[in-house]
Amino acid sequence: RPYQPGLDDVRRMDWAVTARTTEPHVRDTIADRELEVWALLDATASMNWGTRTMTKRDLGIAGIATMGFLTQKMGDRFGGVIMRHDSVRRFPARSGRTALYALLRSMLTEPIVPDSSSPSMPLSEAIEHVLRVERRRGMRIVVSDFVTPGDLELDPAVPTEWERALRRLASRNQVVCMEIVDPAEINFPNMGEVLIADPETSAAQLVDTSDEQARMRMTEAAAAQRRRVAAAIRRSGAAHVQLRTDSDWVRDIARFVIGYRRVAPVLHNTGQVMNS
């Protein structure tokens, strides 16, 4: 795999591949019995939103931590990728709880992306990065609100920007999508006239939330958006769990894991048939 400056030991450099590709590569030695889990965290501006006890980004990290402890066994390796607004940051997969704690600490201390940051890194490209760099089969966890800036489509039959990349990822790995939402994004409260702004772009609009019809249209549009996300994940062959900042997310993950153990073989076989 490509050499990561500052993260990889130069003694593991694969000179033959480096000479052939003209790019530095290192060689990893991994026992076949080991499970390799990779978590992709969406850390773009839309994930900074939160109206309850935590932001969507904090909830996403908590979800990754829970899955890390649940999937960890002797020798298993856990790695992470942070999706910024303009790039991705990769943390090599390592075994042991100390390594998992270090990964979570890095995610928690990752700088907050400011609003109106003009994102140039779409979710599809971040997923493709995980697929391209981490070639060993295993489990992949994608944590995001799955909201694409500027995408106003609400028809569940229309593919999303990231659906094709997710389908490709699920054809080689077990994939779990953690959809992170905040209640204020789903049921709009009555707060009078409010300036609603897209944190990832400069788009803004003044909305009178005291108008019941306006609130109803916004709530219906939000519900349609969530249905489209769920349909895209389902078509890709990935598992789907929705976590909310106002709910007991530990209970939600536990319920998902119990159900997932029963349906995982059928789910991923279906996904491979769909992608073949």
Side-chain angles (χ1 to χ4, degrees):
R1 59 173 174 78
Y3 169 73
Q4 301 290 322
L7 298 177
D8 291 326
D9 189 339
V10 294
R11 291 175 295 182
R12 293 183 177 274
M13 192 76 72
D14 189 322
W15 297 110
V17 176
T18 299
R20 186 168 63 250
T21 62
T22 70
E23 294 182 2
H25 278 70
V26 293
R27 182 182 299 277
D28 278 339
T29 303
I30 306 172
D32 288 340
R33 64 180 180 275
E34 295 175 358
L35 171 68
E36 192 158 292
V37 182
W38 282 87
L40 170 62
L41 173 66
D42 180 352
T44 54
S46 66
M47 291 288 285
N48 298 334
W49 172 258
T51 61
R52 297 305 170 95
T53 58
M54 64 178 71
T55 65
K56 293 194 294 182
R57 171 174 152 164
D58 289 339
L59 177 56
I61 297 174
I64 291 174
T66 304
M67 291 298 291
F69 291 124
L70 287 175
T71 59
Q72 195 173 63
K73 295 180 182 178
M74 185 65 68
D76 289 350
R77 293 151 51 96
F78 203 100
V81 175
I82 296 179
M83 171 186 164
R84 300 166 169 173
H85 70 288
D86 58 354
S87 62
V88 294
R89 183 183 180 190
R90 176 183 175 278
F91 300 89
R94 294 191 171 93
S95 60
R97 291 210 168 191
T98 301
L100 179 58
Y101 287 138
L103 171 63
L104 297 173
R105 188 180 305 110
S106 297
M107 289 183 169
L108 287 169
T109 56
E110 174 71 15
I112 301 295
V113 175
D115 289 352
S116 304
S117 54
S118 300
S120 58
M121 172 62 66
L123 180 59
S124 60
E125 190 171 335
I127 294 174
E128 288 285 357
H129 174 84
V130 174
L131 178 63
R132 183 172 59 252
V133 176
E134 318 308 336
R135 294 185 177 275
R136 188 171 187 268
R137 294 173 184 265
M139 176 176 284
R140 305 293 183 260
I141 305 169
V142 181
V143 180
S144 175
D145 54 12
F146 295 94
V147 174
T148 301
D151 186 1
L152 304 180
E153 181 61 56
L154 298 178
D155 186 354
V158 178
T160 63
E161 174 269 337
W162 42 264
E163 182 177 338
R164 182 178 180 182
L166 186 63
R167 185 182 300 120
R168 282 166 43 82
L169 185 67
S171 68
R172 292 180 52 85
N173 305 277
Q174 286 191 336
V175 179
V176 175
C177 291
M178 288 190 174
E179 180 192 9
I180 311 298
V181 299
D182 186 88
E185 298 174 316
I186 302 175
N187 298 305
F188 291 85
N190 183 352
M191 299 182 294
E193 288 192 349
V194 177
L195 181 65
I196 299 180
D198 185 341
E200 297 190 15
T201 66
S202 58
Q205 184 172 348
L206 187 65
V207 178
D208 184 7
T209 59
S210 62
D211 184 341
E212 184 176 354
Q213 293 298 321
R215 289 203 315 276
M216 184 179 300
R217 289 194 297 270
M218 292 170 64
T219 299
E220 290 174 351
Q225 184 185 52
R226 295 299 101 192
R227 287 194 296 270
R228 184 173 178 234
V229 168
I233 295 175
R234 183 171 58 251
R235 286 193 298 264
S236 73
H240 179 206
V241 55
Q242 186 183 87
L243 303 181
R244 294 171 49 126
T245 59
D246 65 336
S247 66
D248 186 345
W249 52 270
V250 175
R251 180 195 59 195
D252 294 339
I253 293 178
R255 183 184 298 117
F256 162 76
V257 170
I258 293 173
Y260 182 65
R261 288 175 177 172
R262 295 195 300 266
V263 304
V266 176
L267 174 66
H268 293 289
N269 286 338
T270 302
Q272 292 176 6
V273 171
M274 291 172 61
N275 295 316
S276 60

